[in-house]
Amino acid sequence: MTARQGNKTSLTTAVILAAGRGTKIWPYGDTQPKAVLPVANRAVCEWQYDLLIAAGIKEIVVVVGHLEGEIRAILGGKTGVKFTSQSKPTGTADALLAGLNAASAEQILVVYGDTLWTPEDLKRLLERHANAPQSPTLLAGPLETLEPQDWLCPSLADGMVTSVLGHPREGRHRFAGLMAMPRNFAETVARVPEHMSALEVGVMPVQEREMLDALNLHLRAGGEVKGVVAEGLVLDLDKPWHILEATDLWLRDQVRRIKKDQIHPKASVPSDLEREGYLIAEEGAVLTRDVKIKGTVWIGAGAQLIDGAIVCGAATIGAGAKVHQYCQIGAGTMIGKHCIVGHGAEFDGVLMDGAYSYHYGEYWGVLGRGADLGAATVCGNLRFDDLKTTHRTKGRREVPNYGANAAYLGDYVRTGVNAILMPGVKVGPYSVIGAGVILNDDVPNRSLVFAKQELVTKSWGPERYGW
């Protein structure tokens, strides 16, 4: 799953902003920076790296902060990458200035570290900027069914940006995570205030310096900002259900790019395997003839898909994973590296690295790294009223369009035998949900939840049967 796209522009330096804490994506942001969250078995920043390199970018400065070691572990040592730190989480403007101090070029591509976009839209942005590199150029994604109040929203007219509003009540586009700019635009970025200045009346901004507000300062001074509207997929990992949605949509996008099987000579794939779609099998992957595959599937190095396992659509199975014993994997699913799914389990969604789903369990949602679903753990994903669950994100009520009734368990969570997870529950990392618990509410980090059983003991014996 790689991208290949040429770059005919002179812009060869990118700055990836990946220092933020990601508080809205709980229960995952406390243990992982958003830039390393997995989409189709690769970290977001790893996808970005490949897309940027394929587009001709040669120097990549990554601005890190929160849990920076996780990002360095993935991108450290890659050609052209260097790191700089944002000492305090004071906003994207300061993060960008830190990145520019470490970059050497006169033209810069700014990348939000929690976003994905297609190589075609990246190329269109670079080409549009190359035609007039003296002013910034941003990529905007259509809002469609998304709520404008959740995003930074550029207003466009005839291909030009007229303003960027912070979380407005109405809008047609959102910032898609890419902006090209001349280096001297840093002078405007340095003047960004502590609160975003372009707001509708009644909107209350947070106290942080937002990079995109520099565009408003530039426009008020008579400058121009070019806008490119994305024609392909735009993904932003901002909330937990976005992880679920991103893998599904990104897999769909990758499927349309695959034109033939890609089976490594040292992969073991039966010639009479019952399957639909293409198969991408890396070195050491093992499949057996009793497996059924109903879509294009990626099998990582050394992974096993054996013993009657069923894959119901496009899916990716990470290196070293074992999917076996008549389990069922849903369409649009990611099974992470070194995961185990088996013994009649049903899994649909995102299973992060090293997690287990086993023994007749049924799960739809996101399961964090190293998490362990006890035997017969099940999700209640359909409400009796057939409605979507209302979630709270930092106190704000919202109903996600996708994955509202899925379950979201953080890193290293464990469940006991016969635990039942009701629609939309979220469990913080390092927590345990005990045997037989019916979980209706979100659980904070580092918590133990168990059921207390009241027992009644009476005498019994043959005399009860007339002896």
Side-chain angles (χ1 to χ4, degrees), residues 39 49 145 155 184 205 217 255 287 305 317 319 372 384 455 466:
V39 172
Y49 175 84
T145 61
S155 299
N184 60 14
L217 299 181
V255 164
L287 293 86
L305 184 60
I317 298 172
D372 180 19
F384 286 134
L455 301 178

Side-chain angles (χ1 to χ4, degrees), residues 309-342:
I310 301 171
V311 182
C312 297
T316 174
I317 298 172
K322 188 173 184 179
V323 179
H324 66 141
Q325 293 180 334
Y326 303 97
C327 66
Q328 179 173 294
I329 305 300
T333 289
M334 178 198 113
I335 304 300
K337 302 176 183 67
H338 306 292
C339 290
I340 301 291
V341 184

Side-chain angles (χ1 to χ4, degrees), residues 435-437 450-457:
V437 169
F450 63 95
K452 294 182 68 174
Q453 184 178 19
E454 182 177 348
L455 301 178
V456 176
T457 303

Side-chain angles (χ1 to χ4, degrees), residues 46-208:
E46 195 170 14
W47 280 115
Q48 290 181 337
Y49 175 84
D50 282 355
L51 290 166
L52 294 172
I53 293 298
I57 301 298
K58 301 185 183 306
E59 179 188 42
I60 300 176
V61 177
V62 186
V63 184
V64 292
H66 174 60
L67 298 173
E68 63 181 79
E70 301 269 342
I71 301 173
R72 290 177 183 270
I74 293 172
L75 295 182
K78 288 187 179 291
T79 302
V81 172
K82 57 183 176 181
F83 298 91
T84 189
S85 295
Q86 182 183 15
S87 57
K88 295 181 180 180
T90 49
T92 53
D94 290 334
L96 175 57
L97 293 173
L100 292 176
N101 287 336
S104 57
E106 291 304 312
Q107 294 292 331
I108 306 291
L109 178 67
V110 185
V111 181
Y112 275 25
D114 57 356
T115 59
L116 285 173
W117 9 262
T118 64
E120 294 83 5
D121 282 333
L122 172 59
K123 179 183 178 183
R124 291 173 58 238
L125 174 81
L126 293 173
E127 290 180 345
R128 176 78 187 278
H129 185 69
N131 291 331
Q134 71 278 3
S135 61
T137 310
L138 66 73
L139 183 68
L143 274 172
E144 297 177 335
T145 61
L146 299 175
E147 292 292 335
Q149 287 184 315
D150 290 332
W151 308 98
L152 297 173
C153 296
S155 299
L156 287 88
D158 299 324
M160 304 299 290
V161 177
T162 58
S163 68
V164 181
L165 293 177
H167 301 252
R169 299 178 182 89
E170 295 182 357
R172 296 180 58 191
H173 299 95
R174 59 177 171 134
F175 178 55
L178 291 175
M179 183 179 78
M181 54 171 271
R183 185 181 186 85
N184 60 14
F185 189 67
E187 298 172 6
T188 305
V189 176
R191 294 191 287 108
V192 165
E194 270 67 23
H195 295 87
M196 191 162 185
S197 62
L199 301 167
E200 292 179 341
V201 64
V203 174
M204 300 179 183
V206 296
Q207 186 174 344
E208 63 180 33

Side-chain angles (χ1 to χ4, degrees), residues 185-391:
F185 189 67
E187 298 172 6
T188 305
V189 176
R191 294 191 287 108
V192 165
E194 270 67 23
H195 295 87
M196 191 162 185
S197 62
L199 301 167
E200 292 179 341
V201 64
V203 174
M204 300 179 183
V206 296
Q207 186 174 344
E208 63 180 33
R209 304 182 68 221
E210 171 55 53
M211 175 196 79
L212 292 183
D213 206 20
L215 300 180
N216 293 314
L217 299 181
H218 181 67
L219 289 166
R220 291 169 196 150
E224 292 186 338
V225 179
K226 304 176 293 298
V228 175
V229 177
E231 296 178 353
L233 187 63
V234 172
L235 300 173
D236 190 316
L237 273 70
D238 194 48
K239 296 172 185 171
W241 37 90
H242 294 153
I243 302 171
L244 193 65
E245 183 179 25
T247 281
D248 184 15
L249 295 179
W250 196 252
L251 277 172
R252 293 171 190 254
D253 184 76
Q254 294 298 309
V255 164
R256 72 179 179 85
R257 300 173 187 276
I258 300 296
K259 305 301 180 184
K260 62 180 181 179
D261 289 339
Q262 300 171 27
I263 301 175
H264 193 280
K266 293 186 178 180
S268 177
V269 180
S271 59
D272 58 348
L273 182 68
E274 184 179 332
R275 64 184 174 102
E276 302 169 11
Y278 296 112
L279 183 64
I280 300 88
E282 297 182 4
E283 181 177 0
V286 176
L287 293 86
T288 53
R289 65 188 307 271
D290 52 3
V291 165
K292 291 180 173 59
I293 298 177
K294 301 178 181 180
T296 297
V297 175
W298 286 258
I299 313 290
Q304 300 179 58
L305 184 60
I306 59 176
D307 297 340
I310 301 171
V311 182
C312 297
T316 174
I317 298 172
K322 188 173 184 179
V323 179
H324 66 141
Q325 293 180 334
Y326 303 97
C327 66
Q328 179 173 294
I329 305 300
T333 289
M334 178 198 113
I335 304 300
K337 302 176 183 67
H338 306 292
C339 290
I340 301 291
V341 184
H343 209 249
E346 299 177 33
F347 190 89
D348 195 337
V350 173
L351 190 66
M352 295 189 190
D353 293 353
Y356 275 51
S357 177
Y358 213 65
H359 287 306
Y360 304 107
E362 179 276 320
Y363 191 92
W364 175 48
V366 180
L367 191 64
R369 298 179 300 185
D372 180 19
L373 296 178
T377 295
V378 297
C379 293
N381 298 128
L382 179 63
R383 294 163 51 111
F384 286 134
D385 59 11
D386 295 320
L387 297 179
K388 296 178 180 179
T389 299
T390 299
H391 291 253

